Amino acid sequence: HFSEIVQSLRLKTGDGVDELPASTLLSAYGLYKQAKYGDMRATAPWSSQVRARAKYDAWLQRKGLSQGEAMRAYIELVEGLH
C-alpha cells in the first residue's frame, strides 16, 4: 500500500509541484526517507545549500520515529491531500 501512495503523490505533483505548499512536500519527503531508510546519518549540508538543507532538516525532524510509524504517517498525509 505504501508504494501505491508514494506513486500517487508523484503523479499528483508531476508538473504541478507548485500546487502543494513547500511545507507539505518537505513533510512528505521527511516521512518517506524515514520510512525507507530510518534515522538520518548524514552530516548537514552547508546552510547556503538551501534546498538540500531543507530536505535534510525535514528528514532529521523524524529522527526516532520507527519506519512503520513513518510509513503510516506518510500514508495519512498523502491520503489527506485528496
Side-chain angles (χ1 to χ4, degrees), residues 12-26:
K12 180 173 179 49
T13 56
D15 294 329
V17 152
D18 294 332
E19 293 175 17
L20 294 175
S23 60
T24 301
L25 293 172
L26 286 170

Side-chain angles (χ1 to χ4, degrees), residues 35-76:
K36 292 292 282 182
Y37 306 108
D39 288 343
M40 161 74 73
R41 290 183 180 83
T43 57
W46 293 52
S47 57
S48 61
Q49 297 173 300
V50 177
R51 185 172 184 195
R53 184 57 191 242
K55 287 181 165 185
Y56 173 89
D57 290 342
W59 187 0
L60 187 63
Q61 288 176 354
R62 306 305 179 175
K63 185 176 182 176
L65 192 63
S66 77
Q67 288 178 272
E69 290 170 323
M71 215 176 273
R72 285 187 292 278
Y74 181 93
I75 290 168
E76 287 177 18

Side-chain angles (χ1 to χ4, degrees), residues 3-13 78-79 82:
S3 299
E4 294 168 4
I5 295 295
V6 169
Q7 186 62 24
S8 75
L9 182 61
R10 287 184 180 148
L11 291 173
K12 180 173 179 49
T13 56
V78 175
E79 286 180 339
H82 299 289

